[in-house]
Amino acid sequence: KKSARIVKEYSSLSAKELLDAPVDALKGVSKDDAELLNKAFGIKTIGDFANNRFFDYATKIVEESKK
């Protein structure tokens, strides 16, 4: 359910629109966390977060570990 993952302020946006929303639109990510993600990885939006190569690498390692 989208509402379990997105803060109320952004809950009316479509999934496509959420890609351009700031990463702190995700529940559990504070503005301070968002600043750190931007400084460390250049992540500004949910789309940036989802497409970050380091997170992709980690996801692939998890997938491989399940084989």
Side-chain angles (χ1 to χ4, degrees):
K1 204 173 183 186
K2 182 173 74 170
S3 64
R5 299 181 296 265
I6 303 297
V7 296
K8 188 175 183 178
E9 177 182 350
Y10 294 93
S11 62
S12 65
L13 298 180
S14 69
K16 190 170 186 171
E17 292 171 320
L18 283 168
L19 292 177
D20 294 323
V23 73
D24 59 335
L26 294 168
K27 282 190 178 175
V29 178
S30 70
K31 292 204 180 290
D32 289 341
D33 295 335
E35 281 185 40
L36 292 171
L37 286 166
N38 185 22
K39 286 180 185 175
F41 300 107
I43 294 171
K44 295 179 183 176
T45 67
I46 291 174
D48 294 340
F49 191 75
N51 293 307
N52 181 276
R53 66 184 169 137
F54 298 110
F55 296 109
D56 183 52
Y57 297 163
T59 299
K60 285 184 177 21
I61 291 168
V62 170
E63 289 169 358
E64 289 176 18
S65 75
K66 294 178 181 179
K67 293 180 182 179

